[in-house]
Amino acid sequence: MSDTPSAPAPVILGNEPGSFPHGVLAERHPAIVRQVRDAFPLGPERRRALDALLASCADGVVEPLPADADPTGRDRDRWARWGMDAYAGRSWYEVPWLWAESHFYRRLLDAFGHFGPGPWQGVDPFRPAKLAELDAPETDEELAALDGLDALPAEERTRALLHGSLWGNRADLGFRLSDPGAAAGGGTEPLVADDSATLWSLLPAPAAGAPRREPVTLCLVADNAGRELVPDLLLVAHLLAEGRVDRAVLHVKPYPYYVSDATPADVLDALRRLVAAGGTAAGYGERLWTALTDGRVTVRAHPFSCAPLPYADMPGDLREDFAAATVTVLKGDLNYRRLVGDRWWSPTTSFADVTAYFPGPVAALRTLKSDVVTGLDAGTVSALEASGERRWRTSGTHALIQVRR
């Protein structure tokens, strides 16, 4: 049974050497800067900016966004509201880890020249890695495997596509940078929490001859592009085809973020990959293409999707969007951290309680790649701790499906 929190747990920082957050700031972020610098023929000015960010990762402090990287000032105004005045001048390691990570990616885009005038304006610095993954032989194998799904009973097919979306989160490119081996392969560990029956109760298959119901809307908040976004799109197409969902809203990031997070351009790449794959995969892709053109599926890229804040601080228009959904499904580790709050919760803290603020039913599909976790029963936690696998929270080998009606 989950515990009801008496007070919020401490916010996770990156200031403890040897901790997972400290390793991300000290090792993963410099590796990402080097990856971007090596992937493009950047001129001296861009390379100097990336080198300065690399030095800042080691011993620098949080700096405000430069004016020349945001000519309109809109983004600087947003970051001022998101905490820049409070954190500017402080060490990356002494501000909330979620905030530091988000600001790093915004600074990386500045250094690359994504926002300012010049040849790299609007270019995704992570695109080479995203396309390489989308075009990998493993993706061909996964899409070819869809040909066998039609032979399965409807419930088994639905379960297979849900788990494909869940375990597809292991394809997170940012995660693979620091631990490539752990991201390979499919999910084999039992789920540490499984509320899939509750999810299907919110999205039931229509019964033959039943009276017409109210329209069912799914909000799916995507996480990564490439081999994770593809199974997310397959799940949406399946739910539409089965009549479990009448309309779907796919939320993605408005600009490149966290190495592999999906943007509208990545949705197009994944959709084209499906259509070109042939076989069953192409059928899914064509149905999605039609659903996008007739409005049953829409794509949104809200600025708050790149905010360094938990969803508890979401603006009113986004809250209205989620409130209108039959259920909102949040994919991946970062969305989970933002959903429950990036805090040192006891793992038996009630998931329902920490998500009570969310404006409507909410579900999390997540492979565990950071320390924060809630909603586990005490027996599961004891077994995990006794297993000898110290990194069960961060290795991506365990997953969960959690739902709050």
Side-chain angles (χ1 to χ4, degrees):
M1 188 169 184
S2 297
D3 298 327
T4 299
S6 56
V11 171
I12 295 176
L13 306 180
N15 59 353
E16 183 181 341
S19 69
F20 185 74
H22 188 279
V24 168
L25 296 175
E27 299 168 18
R28 183 184 296 182
H29 286 181
I32 291 169
V33 175
R34 296 187 188 100
Q35 179 197 43
V36 169
R37 188 179 59 184
D38 294 343
F40 291 86
L42 301 170
E45 180 183 2
R46 295 295 113 215
R47 296 180 71 84
R48 282 193 297 270
L50 288 169
D51 288 342
L53 179 58
L54 192 61
S56 177
C57 288
D59 55 11
V61 298
V62 172
E63 297 177 11
L65 299 179
D68 60 352
D70 180 28
T72 66
R74 285 193 297 268
D75 211 26
R76 280 178 291 137
D77 290 344
R78 289 191 194 103
W79 278 90
R81 295 194 301 272
W82 292 345
M84 178 61 72
D85 292 345
Y87 298 136
R90 294 172 60 179
S91 165
W92 293 94
Y93 298 89
E94 298 295 336
V95 303
W97 181 42
L98 174 64
W99 201 97
E101 280 197 288
S102 296
H103 187 59
F104 164 78
Y105 285 102
R106 184 59 180 79
R107 288 281 307 281
L108 179 61
L109 293 180
D110 287 338
F112 180 78
H114 177 84
F115 290 106
W120 306 111
Q121 186 175 30
V123 173
D124 183 346
F126 312 125
R127 186 169 173 78
K130 289 176 177 179
L131 291 180
E133 183 189 77
L134 197 57
D135 294 335
E138 292 84 355
T139 307
D140 290 324
E141 294 169 8
E142 290 164 0
L143 293 178
L146 291 171
D147 292 341
L149 280 186
D150 289 341
L152 296 177
E155 287 192 7
E156 288 186 32
R157 188 162 61 247
T158 298
R159 181 181 182 277
L161 288 167
L162 176 68
H163 280 254
S165 177
L166 169 65
W167 287 106
N169 186 228
R170 298 179 91 174
D172 175 352
L173 296 170
F175 179 64
R176 291 172 60 197
L177 279 172
S178 61
D179 193 357
T188 57
E189 296 287 344
L191 303 186
V192 298
D194 185 2
D195 295 339
S196 53
T198 305
L199 178 61
W200 297 136
S201 74
L202 292 166
L203 302 174
R212 183 170 178 80
R213 63 187 181 185
E214 290 294 318
V216 175
T217 298
L218 167 70
C219 269
L220 179 64
V221 183
D223 189 30
N224 297 303
R227 285 173 60 206
E228 181 180 353
L229 186 59
V230 166
D232 290 346
L233 295 178
L234 293 172
L235 179 61
V236 170
H238 174 75
L239 296 177
L240 286 167
E242 291 289 306
R244 290 177 179 265
V245 168
D246 300 299
R247 179 171 177 264
V249 183
L250 182 65
H251 285 261
V252 295
K253 304 300 190 297
Y255 51 77
Y257 192 61
Y258 274 74
V259 179
S260 56
D261 280 27
T263 67
D266 296 316
V267 174
L268 294 176
D269 286 338
L271 186 58
R272 291 189 182 110
R273 183 72 166 89
L274 281 173
V275 171
T280 302
Y284 279 105
E286 289 162 2
R287 287 195 292 273
L288 275 171
W289 193 288
T290 299
L292 281 159
T293 59
D294 66 25
R296 286 176 294 137
V297 175
T298 55
V299 178
R300 301 213 177 142
H302 195 285
F304 191 78
S305 295
C306 290
L309 302 173
Y311 281 108
D313 297 332
M314 75 180 89
D317 61 333
L318 188 57
R319 177 175 289 274
E320 290 173 6
D321 224 23
F322 293 147
T326 306
V327 62
T328 297
V329 175
L330 291 97
K331 282 292 311 292
D333 197 79
L334 174 60
N335 279 323
Y336 189 87
R337 290 163 60 193
R338 297 185 69 193
L339 175 64
V340 304
D342 202 33
R343 295 174 176 272
W344 289 109
W345 297 113
S346 163
T348 59
T349 301
S350 168
F351 176 77
D353 285 345
V354 296
T355 60
Y357 71 89
F358 201 87
V362 62
L365 303 184
R366 176 217 185 187
T367 55
L368 278 62
K369 302 183 206 166
S370 65
D371 291 292
V372 63
V373 64
T374 67
L376 306 191
D377 65 59
T380 297
V381 175
S382 296
L384 289 167
E385 296 293 351
S387 70
E389 186 185 349
R390 294 186 302 108
R391 297 174 61 242
W392 66 268
R393 294 190 189 212
T394 60
S395 63
T397 55
H398 295 76
L400 57 78
I401 301 171
Q402 292 177 319
V403 182
R404 194 221 73 213
R405 293 185 67 93

